[in-house]
Amino acid sequence: MRSGLPRQLDRVPFEGTPRVGIALRFPRALERGFEAEAHHSRCRRLVWSAFLGLAIFDLFLFGDWQMTPDIFSLALFARLGALTPLALLAVVVVWFEPPVWICETLAASAAVLAAAIMLGLMLLSNSPYREGEHHALILIVLFVTVVQRLRFPYAVAVCLSCVVLHATALATIPEYPFALF
């Protein structure tokens, strides 16, 4: 039976003030009720979206084979031998419904690791097409924010991490024009 959270929302005042920069928060009891009611479906959504994201990430091997053939064996190892097993381990953990912060941290960490792998492969390659690898970061950001719908602080952390990794990686390529950053 549902807890009646939508009806409770109509009767509960928000904590905080509606000024810019101050987050409105629900009372702790209501927030705990929401987490208790939504946690099971949230964990299942993260698990299934992780499988989708992992499949897409591993399918990028076809792009690696075309754009960076000089490091294809490294790409194969990084994607299938490093990230895939770690992501599958995270999926198992999330399946058993740990606390919210663990679920969100695992999903965010996998996304940042995927971005680091993509950029690392780009930097290690000598292929003239290697810069094409960095365009995949937008897919990671979109996946985290649209498909997985990570909680706001975690999504912000992933997006900021991707920006920092992206700028750092492109800055290390001397021939990459600054105007294209």
Side-chain angles (χ1 to χ4, degrees):
M1 177 164 202
R2 298 195 57 102
S3 66
L5 285 177
R7 282 181 268 121
Q8 291 177 14
L9 282 175
D10 293 335
R11 298 188 312 258
V12 176
F14 288 101
E15 295 175 2
T17 59
R19 291 181 290 174
V20 175
I22 297 179
L24 298 176
R25 299 186 187 275
F26 293 111
R28 290 185 195 273
L30 187 59
E31 189 71 29
R32 280 193 300 271
F34 169 76
E35 289 297 344
E37 187 171 308
H39 191 61
H40 174 77
S41 61
R42 174 74 181 144
C43 288
R44 292 305 175 259
R45 178 182 180 81
L46 284 174
V47 164
W48 295 117
S49 66
F51 283 131
L52 174 64
L54 193 55
I56 293 168
F57 180 78
D58 288 342
L59 284 173
F60 270 79
L61 279 167
F62 292 110
D64 295 333
W65 181 53
Q66 291 294 315
M67 293 190 311
T68 56
D70 58 325
I71 58 159
F72 182 72
S73 60
L74 181 60
L76 194 64
F77 172 75
R79 291 181 188 280
L80 298 179
L83 184 74
T84 298
L86 290 173
L88 291 176
L89 180 61
V91 163
V92 169
V93 170
V94 171
W95 182 263
F96 289 104
E97 302 176 14
V100 172
W101 70 271
I102 293 176
C103 293
E104 302 292 322
T105 299
L106 288 172
S109 299
V112 172
L113 182 57
I117 287 172
M118 299 290 287
L119 293 170
L121 292 172
M122 178 187 74
L123 293 175
L124 292 171
S125 177
N126 292 318
S127 169
Y129 306 114
R130 71 182 184 166
E131 283 91 9
E133 293 277 352
H134 79 95
H135 296 295
L137 259 65
I138 191 66
L139 296 176
I140 292 170
V141 168
L142 285 171
F143 185 81
V144 163
T145 56
V146 175
V147 177
Q148 284 191 315
R149 294 187 229 161
L150 290 185
R151 300 279 161 71
F152 185 72
Y154 297 92
V156 168
V158 170
C159 292
L160 288 176
S161 298
C162 284
V163 166
V164 169
L165 287 169
H166 187 247
T168 304
L170 292 182
T172 61
I173 301 175
E175 66 273 10
Y176 197 81
F178 183 76
L180 295 179
F181 266 73

